[in-house]
């Protein structure tokens, strides 16, 4: 009887762990599909004045907003630092510039950057939310 209980508890734990990251993976797949369908081309550099804001989509993607433009930024790895305090300092190759593969946002290296318009930014921010 004790062996059954331990086995059942282990199985339940494994199932819960398997389901938890599945939702995040689906959101990442939806964003990957958006990139392909929209035929977004990666750019190498963003130039901005003074500061920028961002909206976190997942731990892999953010929508970055400068004064005039919007960008979809993909990190090289999961960026858990987006939600952590204290804030990890950014690394910059050049001031007022963000370069993919070189610079960081909150300590996470930028993998790819895509230029998007305001409508695409709103669409990305609403991925995964129902009507």
């Amino acid at each position: 009887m004790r062996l059954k209980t331990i086995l059942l508890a282990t199985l339940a734990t494994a199932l819960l762990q398997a389901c938890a990251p599945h939702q995040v993976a689906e959101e990442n797949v939806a964003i990957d599909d958006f990139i392909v369908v929209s035929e977004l081309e990666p750019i190498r550099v963003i130039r901005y004045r003074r500061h920028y804001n961002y909206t976190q989509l997942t731990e892999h993607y953010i929508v970055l907003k400068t004064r005039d433009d919007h960008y979809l930024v993909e990190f090289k790895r999961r960026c858990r630092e987006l939600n952590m305090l204290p804030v990890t300092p950014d690394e910059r190759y050049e001031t007022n510039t963000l370069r993919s593969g070189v610079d960081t946002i909150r300590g996470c290296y930028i993998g790819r950057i895509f230029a998007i318009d305001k409508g695409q930014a709103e669409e990305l921010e609403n991925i995964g939310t129902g009507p």
Side-chain angles (χ1 to χ4, degrees), residues 91-104:
E91 295 178 20
R92 295 286 183 264
Y93 179 77
E94 187 178 334
T95 57
N96 295 335
T97 307
L98 287 174
R99 296 178 187 277
S100 60
V102 177
D103 296 325
T104 66

Side-chain angles (χ1 to χ4, degrees), residues 50-115:
R50 294 191 184 118
H51 57 78
Y52 58 84
N53 296 321
Y54 66 85
T55 303
Q56 180 179 350
L57 303 175
T58 68
E59 290 182 335
H60 287 277
Y61 292 98
I62 62 170
V63 172
L64 188 130
K65 301 169 188 170
T66 64
R67 181 177 171 193
D68 301 319
D69 299 310
H70 293 77
Y71 302 93
L72 174 63
V73 175
E74 178 185 22
F75 295 109
K76 288 187 174 185
R77 61 167 177 82
R78 288 176 69 182
C79 186
R80 294 186 177 122
E81 291 85 350
L82 289 172
N83 300 317
M84 292 174 59
L85 292 174
V87 175
T88 307
D90 293 333
E91 295 178 20
R92 295 286 183 264
Y93 179 77
E94 187 178 334
T95 57
N96 295 335
T97 307
L98 287 174
R99 296 178 187 277
S100 60
V102 177
D103 296 325
T104 66
I105 296 175
R106 303 269 317 236
C108 298
Y109 281 95
I110 300 169
R112 297 186 298 174
I113 303 170
F114 303 96

